[in-house]
Amino acid sequence: MAQSSAIPPSTAEYGGDEISALVLDPGYSTIRAGFAGEDVPKSVVPSFYGIIPTDSGSKYLYGDNSIHSLLPGIDIRNPMAKDGTVEDWDLATNIWEYAITSRLTNPRPSNPLVKLDLKDREIYDEMTGIETNEKPLEENPLLMTEPGWNLGKNREKAIEIAMENWGCPAFWLARNGVCAAFAAGKPSALVIDLGASSISVTPVHDGLILRKGITRSPLAGNFVSQQLRLLFSTSTPPIPLHPHYLVSSKTAIDAGSPAQATYRSFTPGTAPSDSFRRLQEERVLTEFKESVVQVWPGPGRFAAHSQSGLPNEDLAKAQPGRPFEFPDGYNQMFGAERFKPAEGIFDAKAALTPPSPSADFITPTPSQSLPAIIQSSLSQVDVDVRPHLLGNVVVTGGASLMQGFTERLNQELQALYPGPRVRIAAPGNMYERKYAGWIGGSILASLGTFHQMWISKKEYEEHGAGIVEKRCK
């Protein structure tokens, strides 16, 4: 008799606490993978991949070392869409498999017969026989995270890859908002996730997401990078952005003086693509965001006046500047302007805009600002639940590590909701903030009580990929 797809398997089916479950947390910028029960992911791999032309076609490159290597004609792409869902499943599967097998498990075994001559092959074949279809995760259940707005067809594709391509004995799909709440030790929370490509606000109540309350906006880490590019190009004089690979040598100079560097030149056919340059520029911008960019902590918005009547920008100018040296040696002290790139997240009117409109440029609207999407999210949930969510605000994502972000968020929330008590949980530990989704998945998959939740291979074969919609709510 077939087991009902709504009934979980018995606890004994996966050997109690002995299972070595894996947790995979894919994002637009990086993929995090590791063993359940550990504190941080052992494998953090870029979601980007490289393509280089070869005589026999195209060669694909995965991982930090490969995609940052200066190779003729290298082109950089990303299989993820900007909303955090998968666009190219074939390439996403390859990168995820690389993230798991490069650091956590062994890669797919190659056929040992290839290295033997014909006579030895026959002897080997008679003695052993070859298991040609061995799969990389046959011994590891897999918990995978997904955004709260993921489509049903994408969820079914994820379980197909885990079961068919990788041979997982068991699988579970967890919402990353719920995982981030669990990482903070909260079954109910308002999860604010600032990633590379989008900000999302996810209300979680008793371990379940309130789907109608999920809101998102593109004003995230990449938006701040875009604002930085605009700030540099409109500075007087403009600040050129030369990535490390273009600089052959440089001379030490005084702050504000033009760079004295020798730049690398390429003969025809040896230059990397524009996408490679953009990725390398992004590394410089990330370093700048981590060391210089600040969020105006308040009170009030950066473009407003303080209680004393002075513009907040004048107060910012009175604060000590922050130095930064670019790869070509150009260096400068950044004063009040370091508050401008991130201000658009909270105040769309304060965002820098290009002289001429561009299709690639994100021009923020007031409804996309963080206070607006939080307000929109909370307006969709029950009135009785709102105070509880505001008392359990969880901040996660790499872009939330900008200095002053949590102070400003606290001030904006108190201005929007003066009645309820606002409490923000934002771990000071960089790993806990960046990898909250993965850490929550790691906690979940290592719980003894969770073992009965897994979707087993047997159930998948009986009910098909649709089981994921019934079981993983």
Side-chain angles (χ1 to χ4, degrees):
M1 183 179 150
Q3 186 179 359
S4 164
S5 63
I7 300 171
S10 68
T11 320
E13 201 163 324
Y14 306 114
D17 291 325
E18 298 305 311
I19 61 165
S20 53
L22 289 168
V23 180
L24 179 68
D25 179 27
Y28 180 81
S29 176
T30 59
I31 295 148
R32 287 75 62 179
F35 289 106
E38 295 192 347
D39 294 339
V40 289
K42 266 190 180 152
S43 176
V44 180
V45 170
S47 298
F48 295 90
Y49 65 93
I51 304 178
I52 52 168
T54 63
D55 296 338
S56 55
S58 297
K59 183 181 178 187
Y60 293 89
L61 306 171
Y62 310 119
D64 257 322
N65 293 341
S66 299
I67 66 167
H68 297 305
S69 301
L70 182 58
L71 298 167
I74 185 170
D75 191 26
I76 302 296
R77 296 182 194 172
N78 194 324
M80 307 293 281
K82 295 216 169 134
D83 65 353
T85 57
V86 179
E87 225 168 34
D88 184 334
W89 279 99
D90 291 340
L91 267 303
T93 305
N94 290 348
I95 300 173
W96 297 346
E97 188 175 317
Y98 172 84
I100 292 167
T101 58
S102 63
R103 295 291 300 274
L104 307 173
T105 65
N106 294 322
R108 291 174 192 254
S110 58
N111 190 336
L113 297 187
V114 173
K115 295 176 184 173
L116 303 177
D117 61 32
L118 187 60
K119 188 178 175 184
D120 289 338
R121 282 190 201 192
E122 287 169 2
I123 296 167
Y124 187 92
D125 217 9
E126 282 174 21
M127 287 172 65
T128 60
I130 292 295
E131 180 61 53
T132 54
N133 60 347
E134 195 170 336
K135 293 177 179 175
L137 300 185
E138 286 184 332
E139 296 175 3
N140 307 90
L142 177 69
L143 183 143
M144 191 170 163
T145 69
E146 59 166 354
W149 52 90
N150 204 13
L151 299 174
K153 62 178 183 180
N154 289 351
R155 307 184 86 209
E156 290 181 11
K157 184 71 180 171
I159 192 170
E160 276 175 30
I161 289 165
M163 296 294 187
E164 308 281 351
N165 295 34
W166 298 340
C168 293
F171 180 77
W172 186 262
L173 202 53
R175 310 282 191 179
N176 46 24
V178 174
C179 289
F182 286 169
K186 297 178 186 293
S188 299
L190 186 71
V191 179
I192 300 171
D193 185 351
L194 276 86
S197 61
S198 66
I199 296 181
S200 66
V201 179
T202 308
V204 178
H205 188 61
D206 287 340
L208 294 171
I209 58 166
L210 305 176
R211 191 189 292 270
K212 61 184 179 181
I214 297 173
T215 54
R216 60 184 198 270
S217 158
L219 310 184
N222 291 350
F223 165 74
V224 178
S225 294
Q226 219 173 46
Q227 292 282 295
L228 279 174
R229 288 174 186 273
L230 199 53
L231 178 71
F232 294 161
S233 63
T234 54
S235 294
T236 310
I239 301 170
L241 190 56
H242 293 114
H244 289 276
Y245 80 92
L246 280 179
V247 181
S248 291
S249 63
K250 61 182 178 181
T251 307
I253 52 164
D254 293 332
S257 303
Q260 293 179 19
T262 308
Y263 300 106
R264 191 192 296 262
S265 58
F266 297 94
T267 55
T270 62
S273 68
D274 291 343
S275 59
F276 179 79
R277 173 166 182 159
R278 195 166 182 83
L279 182 70
Q280 300 309 313
E281 287 175 350
E282 201 60 45
R283 295 179 88 187
V284 179
L285 293 174
T286 298
E287 196 181 331
F288 189 91
K289 283 187 281 188
E290 289 171 350
S291 56
V292 177
V293 171
Q294 272 184 267
V295 178
W296 176 250
R301 299 194 164 172
F302 187 61
H305 286 68
S306 66
Q307 291 173 342
S308 61
L310 285 170
N312 281 336
E313 194 163 344
D314 288 354
L315 296 178
K317 285 175 184 170
Q319 294 184 17
R322 290 191 169 188
F324 187 81
E325 182 176 324
F326 290 85
D328 59 4
Y330 176 81
N331 64 95
Q332 183 185 317
M333 190 70 79
F334 289 88
E337 64 269 31
R338 72 180 184 271
F339 293 100
K340 290 180 180 176
E343 186 64 16
I345 294 174
F346 292 93
D347 181 7
K349 291 176 186 170
L352 305 170
T353 51
S356 54
S358 160
D360 296 336
F361 196 87
I362 302 166
T363 305
T365 60
S367 63
Q368 291 175 327
S369 70
L370 183 54
I373 65 169
I374 292 171
Q375 213 167 7
S376 171
S377 173
L378 287 172
S379 69
Q380 298 297 316
V381 303
D382 194 272
V383 178
D384 299 336
V385 176
R386 286 176 205 169
H388 188 52
L389 294 178
L390 285 165
N392 294 279
V393 177
V394 172
V395 175
T396 178
S400 72
L401 287 162
M402 288 183 289
Q403 190 181 338
F405 177 82
T406 46
E407 291 89 338
R408 175 65 175 274
L409 177 63
N410 189 46
Q411 184 224 308
E412 294 278 349
L413 286 173
Q414 286 178 341
L416 285 173
Y417 302 98
R421 186 179 181 189
V422 175
R423 295 189 70 177
I424 296 177
N429 182 318
M430 180 186 80
Y431 297 106
E432 286 180 29
R433 187 89 68 90
K434 281 175 84 170
Y435 306 139
W438 185 91
I439 292 167
S442 172
I443 292 167
L444 197 59
S446 61
L447 291 174
T449 50
F450 182 74
H451 292 165
Q452 59 187 316
M453 303 290 286
W454 293 105
I455 298 169
S456 70
K457 180 94 171 176
K458 183 179 166 188
E459 289 176 290
Y460 171 76
E461 286 165 355
E462 280 180 15
H463 303 287
I467 190 172
V468 77
E469 282 289 286
K470 295 175 186 169
R471 291 276 295 281
C472 304
K473 301 291 188 191

